[in-house]
Amino acid sequence: MKTFRPLIMIPMLSLGMGAVAQQVQLSQWPIAFEADGYQVKVYTPQPEAIDGDRFQARAAVSLLRSGEKVPVFGAIWGEGQLAVDRATRLGTLTQFEVGDVRFPEAAGRDKEALKAMFSREIPRHAPPIAIDWLVAALDSELDMGTTYLNDAPEIIYTERPSVLVFIDGEPEYLVLERRSDHLGDPVYAGISKDIERVLNTPYLLLRYRKDQHYLYGSGHWFRSTSITGPYAQERSVPIPLQELAREVDKTAEIASGGVVPEIVVRTTPAVLLDLNGPPSMQPIQGVELLYATNTDKDLFLEIATQEYYLVASGRWYSTRDPRNGPWRHVPAAQLPGVFARIPEGSAKDGVLAHVPGTNAAREAVRDAYIPQTASVDRQSATLEVKYDGEPVFERIDGTNVHLAVNANTTVLRIGGHYHACHNAVWFDSSSPFGPWMVSTEVPSAVNDIPPGSPAYHVRYVYIYDWTPDVVFVGYTPGYLGCYVQGGVVILGTGFYYPRWPRFWYPRPFTWGFPMYYDPWIGWTFGYGWGWYWYYPSWMYWGWYGPAGPWYGWGAWGWWGPWSYSPPWRPEPRPVYYGHRPSLSSTRPPATAAQADLYSNVKRPGVRPTTVDRPSMQVEGRPTKPVVRPSKERDHIPDRDGNIFRRDNRDRIERYDDGRWQRIPREKPRTDPTPPRTIPRSIFEQRDRGDQRVRDLEHYRQRPAAPAPAPRPAPAPQRQAPQRKR
């Protein structure tokens, strides 16, 4: 049975009004070539439907036969395959089969020959397609109607700069014993078995000699006698802890700015709303909203109702009293209309991705259905599954699917057969221990897995096609925890997944970390008052961790499988939906590779789709222009094959009987019948797509952050005195 994949249909828009900026295409369309006695131009395609890695589109074309002076315009329809590299946000057209060709003068033109010519030549000449242009050019988004858990977690209000240290349940301590390398020499002589790390947290939280807890971040230490605090900044730290921190934190960046946050510890999911003093509210110009300026959280006050609104993991919560609550969930569709009027380019336009009906929300939802693709060699791709003891399978409620709760990756038992999804690649075996072979089909029962299961995310890993040698696969952002609900994107299912009791497993999360949506990276960490707090890597557990089946599992990390390792960026949180002047002055985001787990974690036999990014001329940044703005006017066919274009004065013209004729602006219609002319709003959407591409270039070309200064060698200091027991 074919695996379900979401289909985005692209209906025609109603006529839109308003000023339209002069269009500047940055994708090297139209393409021009000579074939079969014609000089051919193919204009920017208009996508009609997307289904995984395949899409349907139509495009305007022109043919100039040898000896003729005036080209003839027509339209083509076809279905293509797009290999997508979400890291560069570009797609490559690997094939395109033209199914229909229409010209006003059909006589003398062999339609079958033209279809074959276009099918052959378009993939040869088509430039990379910008995903940011694509999500703006699409005209519809798909919401599967799935309901996730939206109950308000504990929302911790404080008027002091703070950091929430989340521990997944009661603390689990791991003794860091000194080990030897393969030559028998000590790896690090200073590490003491008196050091224990709290295993079930991504923070570097250590217990020293059973009675002192030390928390590390960006070169600073905090200490407490109790794991839940209170914590105070500590300058005299035992030398073994300093040595361990230097090994964990290679950059050793010392946080600057003088803000020493308060440490808040929780062992259950929570959200931190911390401000630097009482709320300092500032109006958003032209909107009846105030927003808090002394916090990096998205806290608003609606002036008319005096109700506070907070965005957390893409969900909205409101209260009359932020200090004491209670907080209630507000479905996105029930938000006051004032939020949709937040201007793009304003200080709080980042929340527009969570306001239904806005351009930013539509584009975020469309982007959630764009896959990252890869090819998998069926011979060399391998998988080894490890269990804590014998495999333990538990049935997923409401399904006939059983999940291994003590495996190092997602292993399912379906109908007596075993299926494993690891790093967005499916494998199957007749035994839970393997050998594992690359799958050629996703079991249909996978689509029955509900959001309440920690295996829910594998529903977003697909198999598109296969040959005897290669399987073509991909995943959409749902595998990384980005879901669509009520016309907006949210993070996580909202469910808390209990851990395996014998050993701690990272599970998909919704709460406990300051996560923000970025239109190009996806969900990313906040920076926490300029400090870096997360040290999730287990790479040193191979040296100091316990022997046994878990020894050396460096491929994991605190977040679980690599699909749960969100990118982070060392900067205040700017999100750019409009064209902001500040783009050129902020610090760069996380590296693009972090947006693609196939590239981020290289596996034998797995070859991610990669599309090289050409240099681009961007305002204020003199780079070598490989892609230049096209002076060619855009041409778009409607569904009936009529060709339209926009002239330099923003007037729409229609091709009729070999001539271009101007179409007057239509007045607002009172009947529901859609107009027959091509909507002006499609041109406007293409303008927006071009602007997104330019903004992405600004985003990528921002000045690099200054490299942190090397850590000076620590001055000799006395070992902290230890208490007698």
Side-chain angles (χ1 to χ4, degrees):
M1 181 179 295
K2 184 178 180 181
T3 302
F4 171 80
R5 289 172 283 167
L7 179 68
I8 305 178
M9 295 304 298
I10 317 298
M12 298 295 287
L13 288 168
S14 59
L15 184 63
M17 304 298 290
V20 182
Q22 182 180 5
Q23 187 179 42
V24 181
Q25 292 179 273
L26 299 174
S27 56
Q28 292 183 314
W29 295 87
I31 57 175
F33 53 86
E34 294 184 6
D36 298 354
Y38 292 103
Q39 294 181 23
V40 185
K41 283 187 178 179
V42 180
Y43 293 86
T44 310
Q46 177 62 36
E48 293 182 337
I50 291 182
D51 184 9
D53 66 337
R54 305 194 68 83
F55 72 99
Q56 299 170 11
R58 63 183 186 270
V61 297
S62 70
L63 297 177
L64 181 61
R65 204 195 308 257
S66 179
E68 296 179 346
K69 296 183 178 180
V70 180
V72 176
F73 289 84
I76 61 173
W77 285 258
E79 180 174 319
Q81 187 173 36
L82 195 66
V84 179
D85 181 357
R86 290 185 64 92
T88 59
R89 299 194 64 79
L90 293 173
T92 298
L93 189 65
T94 58
Q95 66 179 44
F96 190 78
E97 183 175 353
V98 176
D100 194 11
V101 176
R102 299 182 196 176
F103 281 90
E105 301 176 19
R109 290 179 172 82
D110 186 337
K111 292 184 65 175
E112 294 302 317
L114 288 177
K115 287 194 292 185
M117 181 268 289
F118 282 119
S119 299
R120 180 184 70 245
E121 298 296 333
I122 288 177
R124 294 179 179 178
H125 297 87
I129 297 175
I131 299 304
D132 287 285
W133 182 90
L134 183 64
V135 298
L138 296 183
D139 181 40
S140 179
E141 56 276 345
L142 186 66
D143 188 339
M144 301 304 298
T146 305
T147 300
Y148 299 97
L149 188 63
N150 302 303
D151 296 345
E154 178 190 8
I155 297 179
I156 306 164
Y157 179 90
T158 174
E159 293 182 354
R160 291 190 58 185
S162 304
V163 169
L164 175 61
V165 175
F166 174 60
I167 303 173
D168 189 7
E170 292 303 311
E172 295 284 344
Y173 294 96
L174 178 68
V175 177
L176 300 185
E177 298 178 356
R178 181 167 55 194
R179 292 189 177 276
S180 300
D181 63 15
H182 66 285
L183 299 177
D185 296 324
V187 179
Y188 288 103
I191 297 300
S192 168
K193 66 180 180 180
D194 292 329
I195 302 174
E196 300 168 283
R197 177 166 184 175
V198 179
L199 184 64
N200 47 334
T201 182
Y203 297 84
L204 186 56
L205 183 55
L206 306 169
R207 183 168 68 175
Y208 189 67
R209 296 193 176 180
K210 304 296 184 182
D211 64 351
Q212 298 292 312
H213 289 85
Y214 290 87
L215 174 68
Y216 175 85
S218 291
H220 295 268
W221 288 93
F222 293 80
R223 184 177 65 86
S224 173
T225 56
S226 169
I227 192 168
T228 57
Y231 283 82
Q233 192 170 16
E234 180 64 59
R235 302 187 184 278
S236 178
V237 178
I239 292 176
L241 272 62
Q242 298 178 44
E243 294 176 348
L244 178 59
R246 278 196 293 273
E247 178 58 32
V248 173
D249 186 355
K250 297 295 186 181
T251 63
E253 182 174 0
I254 304 297
S256 59
V259 178
V260 178
E262 186 176 272
I263 306 301
V264 179
V265 178
R266 288 294 186 275
T267 58
T268 56
V271 168
L272 177 66
L273 173 55
D274 60 321
L275 299 89
N276 192 1
S280 176
M281 310 302 290
Q282 178 173 320
I284 299 176
Q285 186 174 3
V287 182
E288 297 79 29
L289 283 175
L290 306 177
Y291 73 95
T293 61
N294 56 338
T295 178
D296 63 342
K297 310 304 188 294
D298 292 314
L299 179 65
F300 298 88
L301 175 64
E302 186 186 19
I303 296 175
T305 63
Q306 294 296 292
E307 189 86 2
Y308 287 88
Y309 289 83
L310 174 70
V311 184
S313 294
R315 298 161 171 86
W316 291 86
Y317 298 93
S318 70
T319 185
R320 302 282 292 187
D321 181 3
R323 291 175 176 82
N324 303 302
W327 292 86
R328 65 179 181 90
H329 173 246
V330 180
Q334 297 178 19
L335 277 175
V338 65
F339 285 97
R341 300 200 300 273
I342 294 176
E344 289 188 339
S346 65
K348 284 295 177 180
D349 67 351
V351 302
L352 290 173
H354 315 301
V355 180
T358 64
N359 287 328
R362 283 192 290 265
E363 290 161 7
V365 169
R366 296 165 189 167
D367 189 76
Y369 294 112
I370 303 294
Q372 169 69 49
T373 58
S375 60
V376 183
D377 185 274
R378 299 180 67 180
Q379 301 302 317
S380 59
T382 60
L383 174 65
E384 181 183 4
V385 177
K386 294 183 179 181
Y387 302 89
D388 179 25
E390 290 298 311
V392 177
F393 285 87
E394 295 181 356
R395 188 176 69 86
I396 298 174
D397 290 344
T399 74
N400 292 319
V401 179
H402 290 73
L403 170 66
V405 295
N406 64 333
N408 68 327
T409 194
T410 303
V411 180
L412 308 174
R413 188 178 70 208
I414 303 174
H417 201 73
Y418 298 89
H419 305 267
C421 184
H422 184 71
N423 207 59
V425 178
W426 282 99
F427 297 84
D428 63 80
S429 174
S430 59
S431 165
F433 302 102
W436 297 94
M437 306 297 293
V438 180
S439 303
T440 58
E441 184 179 36
V442 179
S444 59
V446 167
N447 293 311
D448 298 330
I449 299 175
S453 168
Y456 174 73
H457 66 291
V458 302
R459 291 178 53 164
Y460 297 86
V461 179
Y462 308 102
I463 296 174
Y464 300 121
D465 202 356
W466 59 275
T467 71
D469 301 315
V470 177
V471 178
F472 299 95
V473 302
Y475 68 91
T476 56
Y479 187 55
L480 311 181
C482 178
Y483 303 116
V484 175
Q485 176 180 257
V488 300
V489 291
I490 61 173
L491 173 71
T493 64
F495 290 90
Y496 175 74
Y497 305 116
R499 61 185 178 87
W500 171 243
R502 279 176 45 87
F503 197 86
W504 183 78
Y505 271 104
R507 300 295 193 191
F509 66 91
T510 302
W511 313 112
F513 307 96
M515 300 294 293
Y516 302 99
Y517 182 78
D518 181 293
W520 298 299
I521 292 179
W523 292 93
T524 180
F525 290 117
Y527 196 40
W529 297 99
W531 291 41
Y532 181 58
W533 290 99
Y534 309 112
Y535 299 94
S537 174
W538 284 11
M539 62 181 180
Y540 45 86
W541 294 153
W543 295 328
Y544 306 110
W550 308 99
Y551 176 76
W553 278 20
W556 273 51
W558 190 85
W559 307 108
W562 277 99
S563 58
Y564 297 114
S565 182
W568 70 279
R569 54 187 177 196
E571 56 176 322
R573 184 181 57 85
V575 178
Y576 309 112
Y577 290 108
H579 186 62
R580 295 186 183 179
S582 61
L583 280 173
S584 61
S585 61
T586 52
R587 301 178 69 180
T591 59
Q594 290 174 297
D596 169 22
L597 65 92
Y598 291 130
S599 297
N600 211 17
V601 184
K602 298 186 182 300
R603 303 290 184 189
V606 179
R607 182 179 180 183
T609 298
T610 57
V611 183
D612 292 334
R613 296 179 61 254
S615 299
M616 187 176 294
Q617 181 71 39
V618 181
E619 281 181 52
R621 301 222 164 271
T623 59
K624 182 180 179 181
V626 176
V627 180
R628 298 178 176 84
S630 171
K631 295 182 179 179
E632 189 85 36
R633 287 177 287 184
D634 203 6
H635 295 63
I636 306 176
D638 66 11
R639 291 184 179 272
D640 296 326
N642 301 304
I643 309 300
F644 298 83
R645 73 180 184 185
R646 187 174 52 180
D647 67 17
N648 293 330
R649 298 180 62 183
D650 191 32
R651 298 177 299 190
I652 295 180
E653 300 175 329
R654 174 174 171 167
Y655 186 70
D656 192 11
D657 293 331
R659 300 178 58 188
W660 290 101
Q661 299 185 11
R662 183 160 59 89
I663 303 297
R665 286 181 179 269
E666 292 196 16
K667 296 180 180 180
R669 302 174 63 91
T670 58
D671 63 273
T673 305
R676 297 296 294 173
T677 59
I678 196 165
R680 176 175 297 274
S681 51
I682 286 187
F683 286 100
E684 294 171 351
Q685 283 183 302
R686 293 189 173 211
D687 289 338
R688 182 176 177 86
D690 292 338
Q691 185 63 63
R692 280 182 61 101
V693 174
R694 288 193 294 271
D695 286 349
L696 176 60
E697 281 305 303
H698 278 284
Y699 186 76
R700 292 183 182 276
Q701 295 184 22
R702 286 175 289 168
R711 173 183 292 177
Q717 57 179 288
R718 295 178 58 190
Q719 183 86 5
Q722 303 303 316
R723 299 177 182 175
K724 295 182 179 180
R725 303 187 182 280

